[in-house]
Amino acid sequence: MKIKHICFIINPASGKQEAILLFINQALDGMGIEWDVYLTKKDKSIAEIARELIGKTDLVAVYGGDGCVTEVAAALHGSETPLAIIPGGTANVMARELGIPLDTQAALAVLTGKDYEMRSIDMGLFNDQPFLLRVNIGIMADMVLQADRDLKNSVGQLAYGITALKTLALAEPASYRLEIDGKAFQESGVSLTVTNSGHIGIGDFALQPGISITDGLLDVILMKDASLLSVLKVASSTLLQNKTEALVHWQCKRIVINMDQTHSLICDDRKETARQITISVVPASIRIMVPKLSL
Ligand SMILES: Nc1ncnc2c1ncn2[C@@H]1O[C@H](COP(=O)(O)OP(=O)(O)OP(=O)(O)O)[C@@H](O)[C@H]1O
């Protein structure tokens, strides 16, 4: 399908500082593509605007970090209106996952070129709310919760490393009653992640090998303890992309998590609190524009 109209949703405060409107204007000049721009606002959801765009444009293109991308994806979930990602954030996990160029002008060139395809990507439901990337409980959630905007603006991705060191030092295991595709498990751990996407936003590294955003499955990863040895094992398995006994890894379509008390957690970029959660996968529930052969 020829793209004739694009709606850009731009976070003017995201990680990169560059002349995005100039880049868009240059990329689309003479291409016969009409375009409109919507700006995000601090602490205000863009979901309603994104939902109103369904069926009214050929493509919704988000320039921002994973916070904006996941919010717009959740709004478009289940529709035929495709999403494009122009990575403008700090970690850009989703762009890395999908092989979308991290350079802004190169990502815009995907929109205007011929070498793209619309890939159908899985999403998850967290207690019926759609999410794109993952749900984190425990130290991974604390790390994201503490890496605030000011820290990310001043030191970029190092913000996550700094807060990781702080949260590891304070890590206490929690107990989890899990029901994974109907099978019961009693576990304890310092971090529980239910993920749709493998990438962690650092280079091309994935959390664990074998995680796919198009396999119709969620990956559940439990880190049992935060001892120095376990942390080193996890770091080395991420670097070498092999399995480690420091992590327990399941794949499933649905998981119910029961906790002894209410916990803070992160679902994509949203902060939540919960004691019982049901998470399920919705296979092929959003179409994303990607460079050909990127998955
Ligand atoms: N106009 C704005 N001014 C200030 N902050 C904004 C504005 N629009 C959105 N935000 C804030 O930006 C955050 C989302 O940022 P986004 O995910 O795009 O980038 P990021 O944080 O750099 O990326 P990453 O998640 O990859 O680290 C939200 O906290 C939102 O409130």
Side-chain angles (χ1 to χ4, degrees), residues 11-13 15 40-43 65-68 90-91 149 152 160:
N11 180 353
T40 63
K41 292 189 180 147
K42 189 173 183 177
D43 300 327
D66 291 304
C68 284
T90 316
R149 182 72 277 158
K152 285 199 278 183
Y160 294 111

Side-chain angles (χ1 to χ4, degrees), residues 123-136:
M123 288 187 68
L125 287 180
F126 167 95
N127 290 346
D128 298 331
Q129 292 295 313
F131 70 92
L132 183 62
L133 291 174
R134 62 189 55 123
V135 177
N136 277 319

Side-chain angles (χ1 to χ4, degrees), residues 135-148 151 159-174 176 189-193 226 262-267 270-273:
V135 177
N136 277 319
I137 310 171
I139 53 174
M140 296 290 270
D142 298 341
M143 187 178 100
V144 178
L145 285 167
Q146 288 176 26
D148 64 14
L151 193 59
Y160 294 111
I162 293 168
T163 59
L165 291 176
K166 280 194 211 160
T167 51
L168 279 171
L170 300 170
E172 285 289 337
Y176 301 107
V190 290
S191 169
L192 183 65
T193 296
T262 302
H263 279 258
S264 298
L265 55 98
I266 295 276
C267 174
R270 303 194 301 272
K271 295 169 196 155
E272 306 269 354
T273 52

Side-chain angles (χ1 to χ4, degrees), residues 78-79 119-123 213-216 281-287:
S79 80
R119 281 290 172 103
S120 291
I121 305 297
D122 303 337
M123 288 187 68
I213 200 157
T214 55
D215 63 357
V281 69
V282 188
S285 70
I286 185 161
R287 295 166 71 223

